Amino acid sequence: MEMHTDVLLVTANVGSLFDNVGDIEGDWLQEFFMTVHKHTPRFIALHFQEVGGKDYKRNMGHAKKFFLTIESRCEMADFDKVCVYVDSHFNDVDSFTALGSMYFIHKSLKNIQQYDFKVKEFKAISGLNKYVGSLEGVTTVEKEKFPKNFWPDFTWSRKGYMRTRWLIHNQGLDLVNVHLFHDASNLIACNSSPSVYSANRKKALRYVINRISDNSSSPLPFFLFGDFNFRLDTLSLVQNLSMSADIMTVKNGSSNEVEKIICEEKDNDHKLLKYDKEISEFHDVITEEEIHFPPSYPYSEDYAKPTQYMNTRCPAWCDRILMSHSTRDIIHRREEGKSGVVYNTLGSDICMGDHKVIKHPVFIKTNKQMTMNESVIYTICHVNANLLCLPSSRFSCFLQ
């Protein structure tokens, strides 16, 4: 008899969380625990990017306390097996990624194992397995910073990926935490379609997919979630807005040179999706549930404006939960008439930083017969630094 395992995926960039910890942390945690209570998961996977924020050397100590708070809260008491991986070793500039992944297994989920990449076999899990600092030598996780020679013309930053592999009953699954490169300049992004930054992200994501799909360890279905930094096709967007939106130019007072071009259009969040093109380059290997939520970035970091976008960037769906085509085949779809797939933001109406957290509860098919209360929920969390609430009904595209 075919059964299924409930899985909740959540992804968030927590950079601004640590830069504004006093204002945001309490509400962030409350929203997460409410989500756990609502979906009653048996397996939770939390993926974080930008651990420690921009000033990570100063903030890393608090970041460690943040993870400890999640582990020790009473809301997590029924999860008796925990795996934590936090790359906080910022002194090693050649490998530091500021990625963090947390996995919680409910006490009712007995038949779960984790892969050891050194001995190439699955092993049983028990108790707390916590690795914070350098992850060198930790055999149950693969972590890599993107090679510096990928883009010699750009600043080398703490971007990379982290993979863990799981066996739930008899279904194997890879969970991959990813952080790709951002757009350093709006004006440069406007020079071509696709932009040079988009080309860099394409190269990095293809690299990750090739790495987790090679034959060094037999390829499995995978979820790929984190801050992809996907941006809209800026050139096409600006060309369209120049004909339909209100345009304002900002000039330098002394030189009279144009410093900014501001294009503003109201009530148009979802129409931006047609300019969200970067994932289309990967339809041969990955897919995604349909998006019904507003752009996840860049929200205001003003605690009193949780649904307002900042004017620094055009809103975009940076934070995503993607999957291989083989993963889609093992997702159980509920019967017609029942609630379907939930792929949405977490904390839409409160300030969570400049990135919204994204959640995705799914039901993974298994072939082992089990009781109804043995359903397993994967919560994959991608936390983006500076998480914020629902997008406002208006956006501004600033080119500078």
Side-chain angles (χ1 to χ4, degrees):
M1 177 182 177
E2 180 181 273
M3 301 300 293
H4 64 265
T5 298
D6 301 344
V7 177
L8 175 63
L9 320 175
V10 181
T11 178
N13 179 314
V14 286
S16 61
L17 172 65
F18 298 115
D19 292 328
N20 304 278
V21 67
D23 294 331
I24 300 174
E25 181 179 343
D27 285 344
W28 194 102
L29 289 169
Q30 184 63 25
E31 286 295 316
F32 170 68
F33 293 130
M34 287 173 59
T35 300
V36 172
H37 177 75
K38 177 180 178 180
H39 295 288
T40 61
R42 295 301 178 269
F43 182 98
I44 301 176
L46 291 165
H47 284 188
F48 301 91
Q49 303 78 45
E50 290 195 54
V51 171
K54 295 179 178 64
D55 192 0
Y56 49 83
K57 292 183 179 180
R58 181 172 65 90
N59 294 337
M60 197 58 75
H62 185 81
K64 294 176 182 178
K65 293 179 182 178
F66 173 77
F67 293 116
L68 180 61
T69 298
I70 297 177
E71 295 168 31
S72 57
R73 282 284 290 261
C74 60
E75 291 90 341
M76 308 302 291
D78 287 336
F79 296 87
D80 63 349
K81 295 176 283 293
V82 181
C83 297
V84 180
Y85 305 94
V86 182
D87 180 12
S88 62
H89 191 47
F90 51 77
N91 289 324
D92 188 352
V93 295
D94 291 334
S95 66
F96 177 54
T97 63
L99 292 173
S101 300
M102 303 182 77
Y103 305 98
F104 295 86
I105 298 97
H106 195 273
K107 61 185 180 182
S108 63
L109 178 57
K110 306 297 184 183
N111 192 0
I112 182 169
Q113 296 181 337
Q114 190 178 16
Y115 194 70
D116 186 312
F117 291 96
K118 182 177 181 179
V119 299
K120 298 186 183 303
E121 65 180 38
F122 287 98
K123 295 183 176 181
I125 309 166
S126 62
L128 173 63
N129 305 272
K130 187 173 182 178
Y131 307 93
V132 179
S134 171
L135 301 181
E136 185 72 26
V138 180
T139 60
T140 50
V141 66
E142 280 189 342
K143 187 215 71 173
E144 185 175 357
K145 185 173 183 176
F146 292 122
K148 189 174 184 178
N149 60 7
F150 265 27
W151 21 84
D153 297 332
F154 296 91
T155 302
W156 195 36
S157 59
R158 55 190 191 281
K159 302 294 192 297
Y161 75 94
M162 181 184 293
R163 170 170 69 150
T164 57
R165 171 168 282 196
W166 304 84
L167 186 66
I168 301 176
H169 295 296
N170 65 343
Q171 180 59 61
L173 193 67
D174 279 348
L175 303 179
V176 188
N177 188 352
V178 179
H179 195 188
L180 302 184
F181 303 91
H182 67 285
D183 283 10
S185 165
N186 289 331
L187 289 176
I188 291 176
C190 238
N191 286 340
S192 61
S193 177
S195 73
V196 61
Y197 304 118
S198 176
N200 286 342
R201 286 189 287 272
K202 177 182 177 180
K203 183 176 183 180
L205 185 53
R206 185 65 69 177
Y207 177 82
V208 173
I209 292 172
N210 288 342
R211 291 282 286 172
I212 65 177
S213 303
D214 64 24
N215 292 322
S216 61
S217 53
S218 301
L220 289 177
F222 61 80
F223 281 107
L224 198 62
F225 51 101
D227 179 7
F228 294 87
N229 261 313
F230 289 156
R231 305 301 170 93
L232 305 185
D233 182 347
T234 310
L235 179 58
S236 298
L237 174 62
V238 170
Q239 289 173 340
N240 179 272
L241 289 177
S242 65
M243 296 181 290
S244 63
D246 296 330
I247 306 295
M248 181 175 66
T249 58
V250 178
K251 296 184 179 181
N252 184 292
S254 57
S255 66
N256 206 37
E257 293 181 351
V258 175
E259 289 186 335
K260 296 181 182 180
I261 303 172
I262 304 174
C263 307
E264 184 170 84
E265 192 172 60
K266 299 178 182 179
D267 304 316
N268 202 16
D269 291 333
H270 206 67
K271 294 179 182 178
L272 294 175
L273 263 177
K274 66 180 179 181
Y275 301 102
D276 178 62
K277 302 177 180 179
E278 293 193 36
I279 192 176
S280 63
E281 297 283 347
F282 298 91
H283 282 166
D284 58 322
V285 287
I286 57 178
T287 185
E288 181 181 26
E289 299 294 349
E290 188 173 352
I291 290 177
H292 294 288
F293 53 87
S296 64
Y297 171 88
Y299 283 95
S300 169
E301 296 176 34
D302 185 336
Y303 188 77
K305 300 177 181 178
T307 62
Q308 185 106 16
Y309 287 110
M310 288 192 288
N311 293 328
T312 54
R313 294 284 188 267
C314 180
W317 287 268
C318 295
D319 310 284
R320 313 282 275 264
I321 298 173
L322 311 178
M323 69 189 83
S324 61
H325 292 289
S326 57
T327 301
R328 181 177 285 277
D329 293 338
I330 63 171
I331 292 179
H332 171 76
R333 303 287 169 172
R334 292 189 174 186
E335 298 175 8
E336 188 175 353
K338 295 185 178 181
S339 58
V341 173
V342 178
Y343 183 30
N344 207 344
T345 54
L346 186 158
S348 58
D349 59 351
I350 64 169
C351 181
M352 300 186 76
D354 62 350
H355 288 256
K356 288 294 184 185
V357 181
I358 306 299
K359 67 176 182 178
H360 184 17
V362 296
F363 303 88
I364 301 298
K365 297 176 184 177
T366 63
N367 293 325
K368 176 188 177 296
Q369 185 172 356
M370 51 185 176
T371 61
M372 293 305 292
N373 65 354
E374 285 185 314
S375 59
V376 181
I377 293 186
Y378 273 61
T379 305
I380 301 172
C381 294
H382 153 92
V383 183
N384 193 322
N386 299 327
L387 300 167
L388 262 158
C389 307
L390 282 175
S392 68
S393 60
R394 57 191 296 167
F395 68 84
S396 298
C397 177
F398 279 66
L399 306 179
Q400 55 187 4

